[in-house]
Amino acid sequence: MYQCFVSNNEESAQGTAQINLGGAAPVLVRTFSGATVSAGAAWTAQCEAAGWPAPAVQWQVDGVPLPAGDPRVSAPAPAPSAAQPRPSLLSELRVARVRPDDAGEYACVAANAAGSARHAAHLRVLGPPHVKPMRDRVVAAGSDAVFVCRVAGFPISEIRWLKDGKALPENHRHLVFPNGTLVIRNIHKSDNAGYVCVASNPDGQTSRSKLNVQVMEAPAIDPIPTKSDLQEGMRIHLNCVVTKGDFPITFRWLKDGSEIPPALAVTEKSLDDYSRALTFNSLSVLHSGNYTCQASNAVATTNHTTLLVVNVPPSWKVEPKDSESLMGQNLLVSCAAEGSPKPTIRWTRESGMPPSTYEDLSHTMNNYRILENGSLWIQNIHPENKGYYSCQATNGIGMGLNKIIYVTVHVPATFSSPVQNVTVVKAGVATLDCVAKGDKPISINWFLQGQPFDPAQHPRAEVSEESLEFGVHSRLLIKNVNRDDSSSFICQATNHFGSDRSDFHLIVQETPGPPTNVHVTGHTSRSVNLTWDHSYDGNSPVSVYIIQYKSTMASSWQKNVQQIIVDGEQTSASINDLLPAHTYHLRVLARNSLGVSNGSSIITITTAEEVPGGPPRDIQVQARNSETLLVTWKPPEEHLHHGEIMGYYIGYRAANSSEPFHYKTYEVIPGMELRNILSGLRKFTEYSVLVQAYNRAGAGPRSEEVLAMTDEDVPGSPPSEVHCTALSSQSILVVWSSPQISDINGVLLGYRVTYRTVMEWDDISTPSEQTTQVQKLEIFGLQRYCNYSIEVKAYTRKGDGVPSKPIFCRTQEDVPGAPDDIKALVMDSRTLLISWRPPRFPNGVIINYKVYIQSLDGASLPMEQFEVPPSQTHYTLSHLSPQRRYEMKVSAATAAGEGVPSTSVVQAPSTHTPARIASFGHKMKVARGEELQLPCIAVGQPPPRREWFHGGKSIQEDDHLRINSEWTLLIPAVKLSDTGNYTCSAENVFGKDEITYFLLVQESRNKGIPLAPTDFEVSKSTVSSISLSWKSSLSTTNTVQGYYLNYKREFGEWEKIKLSAEENDFTLDGLQCGTKYQFYLQAFNQLGQSAPSETITSHTRGTAPIAPSKSHLIRVNSTSISLNVGSWGTGGCPITTLVVEYKPRQQHEWTLVSNNLKYQQIDFPVLDLSPETWYTLRMTAHNSAGSTVSTYDFITLTNSGAIVEPDLIIHSGYKYNHFYKDLGVIIPVITSLVTVIVAGIGIFLYFRRKQESLPDNKFVGTTSEKSCDMAPTGGTSACTDQKVSGCTMMPSSPRTASGDREEPLYLPEPVPPAAPASTDTVNPYATFRLPPDAENLPAYDNYSDSVYMKIKKKSQQINADGDWVPLHSLYQAHRY
């Protein structure tokens, strides 16, 4: 339940509403079906209904509800079902033994508050027909009466109605339905009769029942008149008269829909059987109301209502009285009257203008409201509302009521402004005006700071007072005010009805004091940041602060002073736009509404230096050609350099574009002219060029943009949106849009429109051309109904641009020309065959032919013209007169009309008809694979013998060539070899005739568009180019104007190059190295482009970068390494960038050294490494063919620059060798013994052993990448050009001329584990001797750049993967 409350100052009201949620209309879940049973059988009907609230179930038979408690109906019971969201009720009707009377329509009705549902079905009982009894009916005349005949028994073949023994229907008002329903429309008394319903079955058994119908007329009541001027005390009566209707009639009177109360003393009198009167002896207001007369008979009840109004003049219910109120309060003046009809209350007010008149309140006030009970409500009353008011009550009866009252409004002492601010300039006069309104007398008192103010104690103060019509005016004057006079004054007014006060705030204003504590918080080359403290504001808020600054060269603050202004709330500011390296004086001033303060203390500050302050001067740009501009300029003004000008940035872009500037850098060379050339620009394009100077601090301001245009060229794109429209049979309108402005490449002089006819085949006609300056052209003098190919191209002074893609338009149809040829052949004595060839110029689509015939010998003809469909080119004229001459001609027609007729032919039918052929031979073209039919229609008596020839040889039918019964030669799929002459011959005894077809078979009907090139292939490729070749198509009739080569890089976009028609090969340059490309080719001419050729794929030469060996790449020091960047192999494609990273070998995070290392940088250092530490270096090289990543492990040297001795790695078979075979054992032993016994012998043996070990060994190679194959016994080595990593050997133990001093050790590079087999044969006892030029090699005293290698020892085991022994360990073992 929801409630709504509404209230005001007078009364309140409320409303309620109830919302029921979740209601659901009944749904019949289970129903029953109709049945046909025998008498005595049992029958059950079930009806299950679901809904919320739970529905009530009722059973009906033939529309009549079964009585409550019928034993056949079981009480509804819950029937839970999982399929139903709500519970359902099941009701059952059970008939234990069916009787014939039980037959009928049974219905189940389920209903609840949300709706209802009904289901019905028939129960039929087998047996003879039985018409159920019908009750007699009384029916109102003029209505539609419906009578239902209920029939039991089954089957029933017919139900009919009889009236007085006659079968119905008798007229259009009778309707009889097969189910036994009778309807009588607009029934009247003539239909009074007995009606019999007769039912019969197929066996002829019948049953009947009678119904008596009585038609009665309903009562009709005349209008009941009443007077409109009835008043209290009068006497009247109301007469109710029934003018028609069948008796008996009963009457009844009602007042306002209910019985008339006895207290009203109203009497009813019956005058006769058809009228009744209502009598009022003394009217009162209680008698007012609606009186209804009801007249009833057996068929209807008729009502008539009349309104009775008793008028009563108004009288006071509440009489108004004089009222008074205080200003600002609400006033209610009561005024109420009663009467009939209800009186209308109207308030007026005295106008105040003589003579005394009263006006409607809306003319004099707007703060009132007339309440529903007539009272006057004045809200927030004010003195203007006082005066005389009149309350009038009228209802049109009598004189009405009127009462005049006076309303008094008392005004307490008040001020219109409770607070006033008085502002005065220092040394001026302050005037405080206090005006009080209200009823007199009014007294005024002044207060200062809450204390009474006595003017006698203040010599500069005066107080005066003046009486006004509406109150009192008091004025307080204070002369020569100063800062101390700023204070608050109170003016208080009092009368008999109240008091009020007005507060005055006196503010003495002056200019502010200067800001204090001005200091600089920071500065740059062009700005200074200042801050300061507020000072006295002079009782007027500081509106702004003014920061003034000037150069120290200016002597006065009156001239050449710049300033900035900030809001008065700020205590800091930034001075910008200063000159670099300049000294300034600064000060701050405050300003309020009275003026500007004195200046603060002066601050001196010098700005920092910065980039150039001015742009280059005298920029001049000249066009050299259509893609190049020459730029010259002069340096900025000298005082704006702010340092040495190192160079210039030259920026350029297309004018009026949003794209960023492209920049070129120009480095200054003393004595050289400042000029530069911009190339690769767009044609005939206006460029915006600027120049920007830079020094060590950076780039200065840019110069103003200078506009220059590249030279003119031919348009680079065709006109767009080319459309054509046929205007007539000989004219076409062509319209187009201009090419994009960026593609015109010059001053557009006009357009050339090229057009030519498009033939049925690929024959190319001579083109015509017209020139125009506008973007449309109307072409006249064209062929009728002809298809034209049209191209448009723009041109400039440099020549014609690219033509548009051809469009095609056909001129409109026109009347056709005459048929090209005509024959008239004799078929027999009464028949002629006329044949013709279509017009050479059909000028449209032929829609029919007309054959005209006339007799030259006066023979009669039933028709003189015949219409022939367009697909037929012959016609048989029969029923002619023998031996009579006839003239014949043929015309063709299109949608435009009928053309001129052919020439006339004359022929006469005869009995002797020689062989003649009606068909016409001609030249024809077909495309390979098309179906071809060559007709050969022949006449003659006797019938001629026909034969086909190809190239003079008789044609024999086969799968390719067939001849049908009409002697039409059929070729289902034409071949190129079918080209030639085909002749049909016809011959009989009276003559012979033949025709010849000249057949040309072509490859296709391509409308002149060239065929795709063939044999498209790659002939050659390099690192930056791919050469292509192809062959033109075999067609000789299709003119090729050029080729479009389409290509794309892998993952790139398709690009297109236009090639000339003479080319059959092309080399595409400027390609990316080592990259995959795709290509296809199209031929084109003015009619269009061919289909694309097969798409082919190829690669430019080159691979991803090739990583070098560690020995060639890395030189190790203690805290850094040096990388030989040039040792990377390019793979044939230039290396663009390299990425260098490193990390300690045991860590996971990489340190990036450079991600943009150039390949041209030969030596690149990696610094900040730790001594004696293992690192991993990772380098990534990129080129257009891909990327290569390679990692290298290395160890830095010690702090002293020595090599860190690597871990000894023992060969897998090393420990199994005999001691005397082990170099690490036998040499130290021998050396020790020889040294102890005889030093001299030891030295001798030493030299001898050296000579025996390497008598012929020589140092082989340098650091080149050549392999060295050494003999196992220390013989000479052969060097090849094969690249073998790790075969580069460096000399050990270089010697001086004396042969005694030891030189620093030179060790070979490390050999990786996967070294070639040639290194497997290196003798573990081999030593090395310096080459002759070894003395020129640098000595590595600290081993900072030395390297070492591992020599693989030959294993005695089968396993070839042995361990590695450091060579320097062997060397230590051999030292004496």
Side-chain angles (χ1 to χ4, degrees):
M1 181 74 70
Y2 290 82
Q3 290 180 291
C4 174
F5 294 91
V6 180
S7 63
N8 58 16
N9 293 332
E10 299 298 321
E11 55 185 345
S12 64
Q14 69 172 354
T16 61
Q18 183 175 355
I19 299 177
N20 294 321
L21 301 177
V27 176
L28 296 178
V29 180
R30 188 189 311 175
T31 57
F32 58 94
S33 57
T36 302
V37 299
S38 301
W43 179 71
T44 301
Q46 289 184 332
C47 184
E48 181 181 348
W52 187 260
V57 180
Q58 183 187 59
W59 290 90
Q60 299 175 353
V61 178
D62 291 332
V64 178
L66 293 179
D70 191 311
R72 294 176 295 174
V73 179
S74 64
S81 173
Q84 294 299 324
R86 298 188 183 277
S88 59
L89 294 177
L90 179 64
S91 178
E92 186 176 74
L93 173 65
R94 183 185 299 273
V95 182
R97 295 179 58 84
V98 175
R99 298 173 300 154
D101 290 344
D102 291 332
E105 182 190 64
Y106 286 77
C108 166
V109 180
N112 63 7
S116 63
R118 184 178 186 272
H119 173 74
H122 281 84
L123 174 63
R124 294 175 289 274
V125 181
L126 295 173
H130 170 67
V131 179
K132 297 182 179 180
M134 295 178 288
R135 293 182 298 173
D136 294 340
R137 295 273 299 277
V138 178
V139 183
S143 64
D144 291 345
V146 178
F147 308 101
V148 179
C149 179
R150 306 289 182 182
V151 179
F154 188 82
I156 301 298
S157 59
E158 182 186 20
I159 301 176
R160 50 196 176 90
W161 284 87
L162 304 176
K163 175 187 175 184
D164 296 334
K166 296 180 180 179
L168 297 182
E170 290 183 333
N171 51 51
H172 66 282
R173 294 186 299 109
H174 295 168
L175 298 176
V176 178
F177 295 92
N179 64 353
T181 301
L182 170 65
V183 177
I184 303 177
R185 293 179 177 175
N186 191 19
I187 195 168
H188 46 75
K189 290 190 177 182
S190 62
D191 293 316
N192 284 332
Y195 293 82
V196 177
C197 174
V198 181
S200 58
N201 64 7
D203 296 334
Q205 295 176 309
T206 61
S207 175
R208 64 181 60 204
S209 178
K210 185 177 181 180
L211 167 70
N212 294 316
V213 177
Q214 180 183 2
V215 182
M216 296 183 65
E217 193 170 13
I221 301 175
D222 266 0
I224 304 173
T226 57
K227 294 183 178 181
S228 60
D229 58 349
L230 298 176
Q231 297 185 15
E232 286 186 314
M234 289 186 175
R235 296 183 294 274
I236 65 166
H237 64 267
L238 303 178
N239 292 322
C240 179
V241 179
V242 176
T243 56
K244 63 178 180 178
D246 290 335
F247 294 106
I249 298 175
T250 59
F251 291 90
R252 183 186 181 198
W253 281 95
L254 303 173
K255 179 180 183 296
D256 298 327
S258 303
E259 296 289 340
I260 299 176
L264 294 182
V266 179
T267 58
E268 293 186 27
K269 293 184 179 179
S270 178
L271 304 178
D272 46 40
D273 291 340
Y274 52 87
S275 63
R276 181 67 59 93
L278 197 62
T279 303
F280 301 83
N281 295 324
S282 178
L283 289 175
S284 69
V285 70
L286 299 177
H287 289 127
S288 296
N290 290 309
Y291 290 84
T292 302
C293 175
Q294 287 186 351
S296 304
N297 65 4
V299 294
T301 297
T302 305
N303 295 330
H304 184 80
T305 301
T306 186
L307 175 63
L308 179 65
V309 178
V310 179
N311 299 313
V312 179
S315 61
W316 289 117
K317 189 174 181 181
V318 178
E319 187 174 359
K321 299 178 181 180
D322 293 342
S323 302
E324 60 182 21
S325 175
L326 282 178
M327 183 184 70
Q329 295 182 347
N330 298 331
L331 175 64
L332 177 65
V333 182
S334 299
C335 179
E338 56 186 0
S340 180
K342 182 179 180 180
T344 300
I345 303 297
R346 179 173 178 264
W347 282 90
T348 58
R349 181 185 176 190
E350 186 182 25
S351 64
M353 301 292 293
S356 180
T357 58
Y358 284 82
E359 297 178 340
D360 192 86
L361 296 184
S362 62
H363 297 163
T364 59
M365 52 195 295
N366 56 14
N367 59 335
Y368 75 96
R369 185 157 58 94
I370 308 299
L371 304 182
E372 290 186 4
N373 60 4
S375 298
L376 173 63
W377 170 270
I378 302 177
Q379 187 175 5
N380 191 20
I381 195 169
H382 46 81
E384 289 79 4
N385 298 137
K386 67 181 179 180
Y388 290 98
Y389 291 79
S390 170
C391 179
Q392 297 178 345
T394 58
N395 65 354
I397 308 301
M399 296 298 294
L401 301 176
N402 186 10
K403 178 65 180 291
I404 296 176
I405 64 169
Y406 188 82
V407 174
T408 302
V409 180
H410 298 295
V411 181
T414 59
F415 292 104
S416 58
S417 299
V419 178
Q420 298 184 50
N421 293 324
V422 178
T423 303
V424 62
V425 180
K426 182 180 179 181
V429 178
T431 302
L432 283 65
D433 289 319
C434 178
V435 179
K437 299 179 181 180
D439 293 347
K440 299 178 182 178
I442 301 176
S443 63
I444 300 226
N445 296 300
W446 286 93
F447 297 85
L448 173 62
Q449 298 293 346
Q451 301 298 323
F453 179 76
D454 186 2
Q457 298 179 3
H458 298 81
R460 292 184 289 112
E462 295 179 5
V463 176
S464 61
E465 193 169 296
E466 177 187 4
S467 179
L468 303 176
E469 178 183 356
F470 52 81
V472 177
H473 174 207
S474 178
R475 173 174 291 172
L476 171 60
L477 295 178
I478 304 175
K479 302 176 182 177
N480 194 23
V481 294
N482 54 44
R483 184 183 299 184
D484 297 334
D485 290 329
S486 296
S487 186
S488 296
F489 293 82
I490 298 175
C491 176
Q492 182 172 330
T494 305
N495 67 0
H496 294 301
F497 302 103
S499 64
D500 198 6
R501 60 182 278 181
S502 180
D503 292 348
F504 290 82
H505 300 291
L506 177 61
I507 302 171
V508 180
Q509 296 180 329
E510 57 183 309
T511 58
T516 60
N517 192 24
V518 180
H519 59 280
V520 175
T521 59
H523 71 280
T524 65
S525 61
R526 290 202 176 261
S527 66
V528 173
N529 296 327
L530 286 177
T531 185
W532 60 88
D533 293 339
H534 290 299
S535 60
Y536 175 66
D537 62 0
N539 277 332
S540 176
V542 175
S543 58
V544 295
Y545 284 102
I546 303 171
I547 299 94
Q548 294 182 337
Y549 57 98
K550 66 181 181 66
S551 173
T552 55
M553 303 300 293
S555 58
S556 171
W557 285 98
Q558 306 303 320
K559 296 181 180 180
N560 299 324
V561 176
Q562 295 177 290
Q563 64 183 26
I564 62 172
I565 299 176
V566 299
D567 188 82
E569 297 295 328
Q570 291 184 219
T571 58
S572 63
S574 294
I575 304 175
N576 300 311
D577 300 327
L578 302 179
L579 294 177
H582 275 60
T583 303
Y584 291 91
H585 284 165
L586 305 95
R587 69 176 184 175
V588 184
L589 303 91
R591 184 170 70 190
N592 62 9
S593 60
L594 279 77
V596 181
S597 72
N598 295 326
S600 68
S601 58
I602 297 175
I603 302 296
T604 302
I605 185 68
T606 301
T607 56
E609 295 183 356
E610 69 165 21
V611 299
R617 299 170 295 133
D618 298 338
I619 314 298
Q620 296 185 6
V621 185
Q622 297 178 349
R624 301 189 69 181
N625 53 45
S626 63
E627 295 180 330
T628 304
L629 293 175
L630 172 64
V631 185
T632 61
W633 66 92
K634 293 181 181 179
E637 297 290 344
E638 184 69 26
H639 67 281
L640 297 176
H641 284 194
H642 305 324
E644 180 185 2
I645 300 297
M646 306 298 295
Y648 297 88
Y649 298 127
I650 305 169
Y652 61 96
R653 69 178 178 187
N656 302 322
S657 70
S658 59
E659 65 180 11
F661 277 95
H662 304 280
Y663 285 93
K664 293 183 66 176
T665 302
Y666 177 86
E667 295 183 358
V668 172
I669 300 176
M672 295 294 292
E673 182 184 0
L674 300 179
R675 57 181 289 168
N676 194 264
I677 295 177
L678 303 178
S679 58
L681 306 179
R682 294 200 290 265
K683 301 175 182 178
F684 197 68
T685 301
E686 187 175 43
Y687 277 88
S688 177
V689 182
L690 55 85
V691 184
Q692 186 177 16
Y694 67 89
N695 57 18
R696 292 182 180 87
R702 300 186 298 186
S703 68
E704 291 187 0
E705 299 179 16
V706 177
L707 299 178
M709 182 170 288
T710 52
D711 202 358
E712 197 170 3
D713 209 334
V714 299
S717 67
S720 60
E721 300 179 8
V722 182
H723 302 286
C724 57
T725 303
L727 300 179
S728 68
S729 62
Q730 290 187 288
S731 63
I732 290 176
L733 174 64
V734 185
V735 295
W736 60 88
S737 296
S738 172
Q740 294 186 6
I741 297 178
S742 60
D743 293 336
I744 293 179
N745 298 336
V747 177
L748 182 63
L749 299 180
Y751 302 91
R752 303 191 197 278
V753 180
T754 304
Y755 57 96
R756 66 171 188 84
T757 58
V758 179
M759 301 303 179
E760 171 68 18
W761 286 85
D762 46 10
D763 299 327
I764 299 178
S765 61
T766 302
S768 301
E769 186 176 87
Q770 293 189 28
T771 303
T772 180
Q773 278 73 44
V774 296
Q775 295 177 6
K776 66 178 181 178
L777 178 66
E778 192 170 345
I779 306 174
F780 297 97
L782 303 178
Q783 296 183 27
R784 296 176 176 86
Y785 197 65
C786 182
N787 196 17
Y788 279 86
S789 170
I790 303 172
E791 296 177 358
V792 183
K793 51 190 173 185
Y795 67 91
T796 63
R797 286 175 295 181
K798 295 291 184 176
D800 294 345
V802 179
S804 66
K805 186 177 181 180
I807 61 170
F808 299 91
C809 263
R810 184 184 291 276
T811 51
Q812 295 180 3
E813 291 188 76
D814 205 342
V815 296
D820 199 31
D821 200 357
I822 186 171
K823 294 180 182 180
L825 309 177
V826 178
M827 296 185 69
D828 55 38
S829 62
R830 299 181 62 85
T831 307
L832 295 177
L833 176 66
I834 183 170
S835 64
W836 59 92
R837 291 185 63 183
R840 179 176 301 177
F841 302 104
N843 299 337
V845 178
I846 302 297
I847 59 175
N848 60 57
Y849 293 99
K850 287 188 178 179
V851 177
Y852 296 90
I853 183 172
Q854 65 176 354
S855 174
L856 299 181
D857 299 329
S860 63
L861 289 170
M863 291 180 62
E864 295 186 350
Q865 66 180 34
F866 304 90
E867 189 170 298
V868 181
S871 59
Q872 184 176 333
T873 56
H874 60 274
Y875 190 75
T876 302
L877 300 171
S878 58
H879 302 91
L880 303 180
S881 300
Q883 306 301 327
R884 299 293 181 93
R885 294 174 303 141
Y886 293 92
E887 181 182 31
M888 291 155 285
K889 58 185 176 179
V890 180
S891 68
T894 64
E898 184 178 355
V900 296
S902 64
T903 58
S904 299
V905 293
V906 178
Q907 187 63 270
S910 65
T911 54
H912 301 287
T913 58
R916 293 290 183 267
I917 299 177
S919 302
F920 294 89
H922 57 276
K923 295 181 180 180
M924 57 193 310
K925 295 179 183 179
V926 295
R928 182 167 61 90
E930 292 182 347
E931 181 181 0
L932 177 65
Q933 295 185 7
L934 302 179
C936 183
I937 303 174
V939 298
Q941 289 295 335
R945 182 178 63 84
R946 283 176 278 187
E947 189 174 5
W948 276 98
F949 299 90
H950 179 204
K953 296 181 180 181
S954 178
I955 294 177
Q956 304 299 321
E957 288 190 78
D958 54 21
D959 293 339
H960 182 58
L961 297 175
R962 297 197 301 270
I963 301 174
N964 64 12
S965 59
E966 302 287 335
W967 276 92
T968 297
L969 179 62
L970 303 176
I971 306 178
V974 177
K975 302 177 182 178
L976 293 176
S977 59
D978 292 331
T979 298
N981 299 337
Y982 290 83
T983 301
C984 179
S985 172
E987 182 178 5
N988 65 4
V989 295
F990 297 108
K992 181 180 179 182
D993 196 8
E994 66 180 22
I995 60 172
T996 301
Y997 293 94
F998 305 93
L999 179 63
L1000 174 63
V1001 181
Q1002 295 189 354
E1003 185 66 29
S1004 65
R1005 295 177 180 263
N1006 56 8
K1007 304 293 184 182
I1009 298 174
L1011 301 176
T1014 59
D1015 296 339
F1016 184 48
E1017 61 185 5
V1018 174
S1019 58
K1020 180 183 177 182
S1021 66
T1022 67
V1023 295
S1024 62
S1025 67
I1026 295 178
S1027 298
L1028 305 165
S1029 63
W1030 63 89
K1031 293 181 180 178
S1032 300
S1033 62
L1034 298 177
S1035 174
T1036 59
T1037 59
N1038 300 343
T1039 302
V1040 175
Q1041 292 185 339
Y1043 298 96
Y1044 287 127
L1045 174 61
N1046 299 267
Y1047 70 98
K1048 70 181 288 288
R1049 176 172 50 88
E1050 188 174 26
F1051 309 118
E1053 300 294 332
W1054 283 101
E1055 300 181 58
K1056 183 163 65 175
I1057 296 178
K1058 185 177 180 181
L1059 306 176
S1060 65
E1062 293 75 20
E1063 294 184 87
N1064 283 324
D1065 56 71
F1066 181 74
T1067 298
L1068 190 62
D1069 296 315
L1071 304 181
Q1072 288 190 4
C1073 180
T1075 304
K1076 179 180 179 181
Y1077 284 86
Q1078 289 180 299
F1079 306 88
Y1080 69 87
L1081 193 67
Q1082 288 178 286
F1084 71 89
N1085 59 15
Q1086 67 270 31
L1087 298 179
Q1089 299 178 15
S1090 71
S1093 68
E1094 180 184 0
T1095 300
I1096 61 176
T1097 302
S1098 182
H1099 288 77
T1100 50
R1101 293 178 180 267
T1103 63
I1106 302 172
S1109 64
K1110 183 169 71 175
S1111 61
H1112 291 117
L1113 177 67
I1114 304 174
R1115 283 194 300 124
V1116 183
N1117 282 304
S1118 299
T1119 59
S1120 66
I1121 61 173
S1122 179
L1123 302 179
N1124 179 16
V1125 180
S1127 63
W1128 275 85
T1130 62
C1133 301
I1135 294 178
T1136 55
T1137 57
L1138 296 102
V1139 180
V1140 180
E1141 302 167 284
Y1142 74 92
K1143 68 179 181 70
R1145 190 165 63 174
Q1146 302 303 323
Q1147 295 185 8
H1148 300 287
E1149 295 184 359
W1150 293 90
T1151 300
L1152 177 65
V1153 180
S1154 175
N1155 63 357
N1156 193 25
L1157 179 61
K1158 300 303 180 184
Y1159 182 67
Q1160 293 77 12
Q1161 188 166 349
I1162 299 177
D1163 234 8
F1164 181 75
V1166 178
L1167 308 175
D1168 300 327
L1169 304 180
S1170 300
E1172 302 183 60
T1173 304
W1174 278 101
Y1175 287 93
T1176 300
L1177 175 74
R1178 180 168 68 184
M1179 288 191 70
T1180 306
H1182 303 277
N1183 65 8
S1184 58
S1187 302
T1188 300
V1189 180
S1190 183
T1191 58
Y1192 305 90
D1193 289 338
F1194 65 91
I1195 186 171
T1196 53
L1197 304 181
T1198 64
N1199 284 324
S1200 62
I1203 298 176
V1204 178
E1205 181 175 347
D1207 298 333
L1208 179 65
I1209 305 174
I1210 306 301
H1211 187 273
S1212 58
Y1214 185 78
K1215 59 183 178 180
Y1216 300 107
N1217 293 339
H1218 299 290
F1219 76 93
Y1220 56 85
K1221 292 183 179 181
D1222 193 337
L1223 185 64
V1225 176
I1226 193 62
I1227 292 179
V1229 172
I1230 296 173
T1231 303
S1232 300
L1233 291 175
V1234 173
T1235 303
V1236 172
I1237 300 173
V1238 182
I1241 297 175
I1243 294 174
F1244 173 77
L1245 292 176
Y1246 173 75
F1247 284 109
R1248 182 179 180 182
R1249 189 176 183 85
K1250 294 287 287 183
Q1251 293 175 355
E1252 292 176 355
S1253 299
L1254 288 173
D1256 298 322
N1257 277 359
K1258 296 181 180 180
F1259 180 80
V1260 182
T1262 60
T1263 58
S1264 64
E1265 297 180 355
K1266 294 183 179 181
S1267 62
C1268 303
D1269 296 328
M1270 296 184 178
T1273 59
T1276 59
S1277 59
C1279 293
T1280 67
D1281 289 335
Q1282 295 179 356
K1283 181 177 179 180
V1284 180
S1285 177
C1287 286
T1288 302
M1289 301 296 181
M1290 297 189 68
S1292 65
S1293 300
R1295 304 168 64 87
T1296 63
S1298 62
D1300 295 331
R1301 183 172 62 87
E1302 272 195 6
E1303 294 294 327
L1305 177 65
Y1306 289 82
L1307 296 177
E1309 298 173 359
V1311 179
S1318 61
T1319 59
D1320 293 343
T1321 61
V1322 176
N1323 195 300
Y1325 299 96
T1327 58
F1328 302 90
R1329 185 171 55 185
L1330 283 173
D1333 58 349
E1335 294 181 358
N1336 298 326
L1337 296 175
Y1340 295 88
D1341 295 334
N1342 57 1
Y1343 294 77
S1344 60
D1345 291 319
S1346 298
V1347 293
Y1348 56 88
M1349 69 175 291
K1350 298 178 181 179
I1351 302 287
K1352 184 177 182 183
K1353 186 175 182 181
K1354 189 171 183 180
S1355 174
Q1356 295 179 352
Q1357 299 179 0
I1358 300 176
N1359 185 8
D1361 295 332
D1363 294 328
W1364 295 89
V1365 180
L1367 183 60
H1368 77 278
S1369 298
L1370 303 180
Y1371 176 79
Q1372 296 292 336
H1374 283 78
R1375 296 191 66 176
Y1376 288 93

